[in-house]
């Protein structure tokens, strides 16, 4: 079974721009979660989607948004980028009934200059 | 105070040693406890998960949860240089679909 894929793997953006990151979950997994990982804060939960519905979200500003499509693929968007948004963005997929089993993708490394 | 606390290390041990990695948490409603391993420049890899209190063993790895003291442990027996990585603990409350991670402990197993 193919693992979680994330595109692009690396991205460099300028302050004020917006960015869209993509995640394809493991086949058959219906839950997708997004995390931001930084050296200082570690892994921080952004949001979780199941069957196109956001079921929970973390404490991030409204500039961070996401969505899930009917094929379970997910995207997250960050608008008006700030330098502090530079991080590794990780996507994890889970079987819908066992969301504690999270399988992570390799991440997208975003650098904001 | 963070909901899940973890000593960042690094923790250096000789090959073959028993490694003990620990986390504490503050939310008594947490019921699911997970351990992940993350190699440099890779996404975290799920090692084990436990529900509520007790022990769970998988090969060289044993996860232990003590809800009375809000303490989570991962033991690695016969540690190998390939175990060198950052180990992350995570916790969740049933039905919230939100997972709180510790900041990770860097482990170095010296050959």
């Amino acid at each position: 079974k193919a693992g979680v894929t994330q595109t692009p793997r690396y991205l460099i953006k300028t302050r004020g721009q917006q960015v869209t990151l993509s995640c394809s979950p493991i086949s058959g997994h219906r839950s997708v979660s997004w995390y931001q990982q930084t050296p200082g804060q570690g892994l921080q939960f952004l949001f979780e989607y199941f069957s196109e519905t956001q079921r929970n979200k973390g404490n991030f500003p409204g500039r961070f948004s996401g969505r899930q499509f009917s094929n379970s693929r997910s995207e997250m968007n960050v608008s008006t980028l700030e330098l502090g948004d530079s991080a590794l963005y990780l996507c994890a997929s889970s079987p819908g009934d066992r969301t504690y089993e999270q399988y992570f993708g390799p991440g997208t490394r975003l650098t904001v200059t | 105070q963070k909901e899940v606390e973890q000593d960042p290390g690094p923790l250096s041990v000789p090959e073959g040693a028993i490694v003990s990695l620990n986390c504490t948490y503050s939310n008594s409603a947490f019921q699911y406890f997970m351990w992940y391993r993350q190699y440099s420049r890779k996404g975290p890899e799920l090692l084990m998960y436990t529900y509520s209190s007790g022990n769970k063993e998988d090969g060289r790895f044993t996860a232990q949860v003590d809800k009375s003291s809000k303490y989570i442990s991962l033991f690695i027996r016969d540690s190998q240089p390939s175990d060198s990585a950052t180990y992350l603990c995570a916790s969740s409350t049933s039905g919230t679909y939100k997972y709180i991670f510790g900041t990770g402990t860097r482990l170095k197993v010296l050959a």
Side-chain angles (χ1 to χ4, degrees):
Chain A
K1 227 181 210 184
V4 177
T5 57
Q6 291 187 247
T7 55
R9 292 291 312 278
Y10 303 92
L11 208 47
I12 299 175
K13 288 286 189 178
T14 304
R15 251 185 320 176
Q17 288 186 314
Q18 75 162 16
V19 67
T20 299
L21 312 181
S22 180
C23 171
S24 292
I26 292 172
S27 177
H29 286 193
R30 296 166 65 190
S31 168
V32 173
S33 299
W34 287 90
Y35 294 86
Q36 181 194 67
Q37 187 174 35
T38 58
Q41 298 296 317
L43 263 166
Q44 292 188 279
F45 174 78
L46 280 157
F47 23 68
E48 189 264 358
Y49 288 89
F50 178 82
S51 291
E52 302 178 68
T53 299
Q54 185 185 89
R55 295 196 292 192
N56 207 337
K57 65 175 186 171
N59 299 324
F60 279 82
R63 300 185 296 106
F64 292 81
S65 63
R67 59 178 177 168
Q68 186 181 34
F69 302 96
S70 58
N71 62 358
S72 295
R73 192 176 69 83
S74 178
E75 288 180 348
M76 69 162 280
N77 184 277
V78 187
S79 63
T80 319
L81 283 165
E82 301 178 0
L83 295 178
D85 297 333
S86 294
L88 180 67
Y89 290 88
L90 290 157
C91 160
S93 78
S94 308
D97 57 341
R98 301 193 304 278
T99 56
Y100 47 83
E101 277 186 51
Q102 298 205 319
Y103 299 90
F104 282 84
T108 294
R109 172 77 59 186
L110 173 64
T111 302
V112 182
T113 61
Chain B
Q1 184 195 4
K2 293 195 172 188
E3 286 188 276
V4 178
E5 301 267 12
Q6 200 172 358
D7 188 322
L11 175 64
S12 293
V13 301
E15 183 176 357
I18 296 175
V19 176
S20 172
L21 301 165
N22 307 296
C23 291
T24 58
Y25 64 93
S26 57
N27 189 341
S28 57
F30 284 156
Q31 293 177 290
Y32 291 98
F33 304 93
M34 289 73 72
W35 282 97
Y36 289 83
R37 176 175 63 195
Q38 186 174 23
Y39 292 113
S40 182
R41 301 187 182 281
K42 302 277 190 181
E45 170 194 8
L46 178 65
L47 286 174
M48 303 181 70
Y49 60 87
T50 54
Y51 175 75
S52 194
S53 279
N55 293 0
K56 188 173 183 179
E57 190 174 316
D58 185 0
R60 297 186 295 113
F61 298 89
T62 299
Q64 196 171 72
V65 177
D66 182 345
K67 293 197 79 179
S68 62
S69 58
K70 298 190 180 69
Y71 206 74
I72 315 163
S73 300
L74 178 71
F75 300 96
I76 307 174
R77 290 182 297 281
D78 187 26
S79 56
Q80 304 294 311
S82 58
D83 294 327
S84 298
T86 296
Y87 289 79
L88 302 154
C89 62
S91 302
S92 173
T93 304
S94 180
T96 63
Y97 316 111
K98 178 179 177 179
Y99 296 88
I100 308 301
F101 280 76
T103 50
T105 298
R106 269 180 59 208
L107 171 68
K108 294 182 181 179
V109 181
L110 307 170

